[in-house]
Amino acid sequence: MPQRPLTTIGFDADDTLWQNEQFYRLTERQFAELLADHAESESISQKLLEAEKRNLHHYGFGIKGFTLSMIETAIEITKGEVPATVIAQILDIGRDLLSHPVETLPDVRATLEALAGNYLLVLITKGDLFDQERKLAQSGLGDLFDAVEIVSDKNASTYRRIFSKVGDGAERAMMVGNSLKSDIVPALAAGSYGVFIPHELTWIFEHVEEPTQAPRFRKIGYLGELHGIIKGLS
């Protein structure tokens, strides 16, 4: 019997299965309001983004690193004169971000339930371990996955390792996500299919050019269209 072309499907979590970036944007607006006496909001956002990029190597992805970057930015913008009360408020809004409610995106549960049992499903997400575990638990989707991988970063070797461990190799796997940089491009480089689902609030750091010439690249408007992509591979 011929082998099935697809046996394993990986899913990103934040802004693929549930909302995430909208809470960061809200927190960023609160942060800008705290420093409104010192700089314009656009300048504050730019300084914060620069701090986040500098600190990824040190803190990785996630809310805790974002909070530390806010504190660093506040110190920079106020030239070291940020009041302790403002630091305390930054810590408060960082904690609030760690407890935001989980809002699953349309068609997520129905799609996962239809695929579970027919394919090996693996959640592949990066960020803070405790926060990602909390969101998965609150989503109620955990039982639909055969494996959960919370990683520090996503690259081709990450996908080769995971799809070899969970399934039978990257060539017979698919990665589904909203980030071209983290979910799609490295999965394609590993030999997998990459299904891009754009999200209107994807973090600017995750933006790269669409790999439209890659033969295993696909793009859909929402998760409910994934069935058609998979059927077309059969």
Side-chain angles (χ1 to χ4, degrees):
M1 294 290 292
Q3 287 188 331
R4 295 170 64 195
L6 182 68
T7 62
T8 310
I9 306 175
F11 290 88
D12 173 53
D14 294 336
D15 295 319
T16 297
L17 301 183
W18 51 67
Q19 298 283 8
N20 181 66
E21 185 64 18
Q22 67 178 21
F23 298 106
Y24 277 87
R25 299 291 177 91
L26 175 61
T27 300
E28 188 174 319
R29 288 197 293 270
Q30 293 175 313
F31 174 64
E33 290 171 3
L34 289 176
L35 299 176
D37 292 339
H38 301 274
E40 297 293 329
S41 60
E42 185 175 329
S43 175
I44 293 170
S45 294
Q46 182 60 39
K47 292 291 186 182
L48 177 57
L49 178 60
E50 292 170 0
E52 288 182 88
K53 288 181 177 179
R54 287 196 306 270
N55 290 332
L56 278 176
H57 177 71
H58 302 290
Y59 308 139
F61 295 87
I63 293 172
K64 293 174 185 176
F66 179 66
T67 302
L68 290 171
S69 292
M70 285 194 291
I71 293 173
E72 181 178 318
T73 302
I75 293 170
E76 178 184 358
I77 287 176
T78 63
K79 296 180 173 56
E81 297 181 359
V82 57
T85 53
V86 172
I87 297 294
Q89 288 176 285
I90 292 172
L91 292 172
D92 283 341
I93 63 177
R95 278 190 287 267
D96 287 343
L97 192 55
L98 281 166
S99 60
H100 68 72
V102 174
E103 298 177 13
T104 55
L105 289 163
D107 299 313
V108 167
R109 173 167 287 280
T111 298
L112 294 177
E113 287 178 342
L115 295 172
N118 296 310
Y119 299 90
L120 291 170
L121 304 186
V122 53
L123 182 71
I124 306 174
T125 182
K126 63 185 179 183
D128 181 81
L129 175 64
F130 292 154
D131 186 43
Q132 296 299 81
E133 288 180 336
R134 173 190 69 84
K135 287 187 283 190
L136 178 59
Q138 289 188 10
S139 74
L141 302 173
D143 291 343
L144 297 173
F145 289 98
D146 297 284
V148 175
E149 295 280 342
I150 301 174
V151 298
S152 59
D153 201 2
K154 293 177 178 177
N155 51 46
S157 63
T158 302
Y159 291 116
R160 291 191 191 98
R161 175 182 61 80
I162 292 173
F163 289 138
S164 294
K165 180 175 73 171
V166 177
D168 49 5
E171 292 77 13
R172 298 174 67 195
M174 170 184 287
M175 183 62 192
V176 181
N178 72 294
S179 169
L180 287 167
K181 183 177 180 180
S182 294
D183 303 323
I184 307 305
V185 172
L188 292 171
S192 303
Y193 291 93
V195 180
F196 176 46
I197 310 177
H199 187 283
E200 60 182 352
L201 295 179
T202 299
W203 187 30
I204 190 171
F205 186 75
E206 299 289 346
H207 291 186
V208 295
E209 186 176 351
E210 290 186 18
T212 54
Q213 301 304 309
R216 288 194 162 200
F217 174 69
R218 305 289 190 275
K219 181 178 179 179
I220 57 179
Y222 61 98
L223 197 61
E225 295 180 330
L226 185 62
H227 299 289
I229 296 294
I230 294 173
K231 185 177 180 180
L233 302 179
S234 303

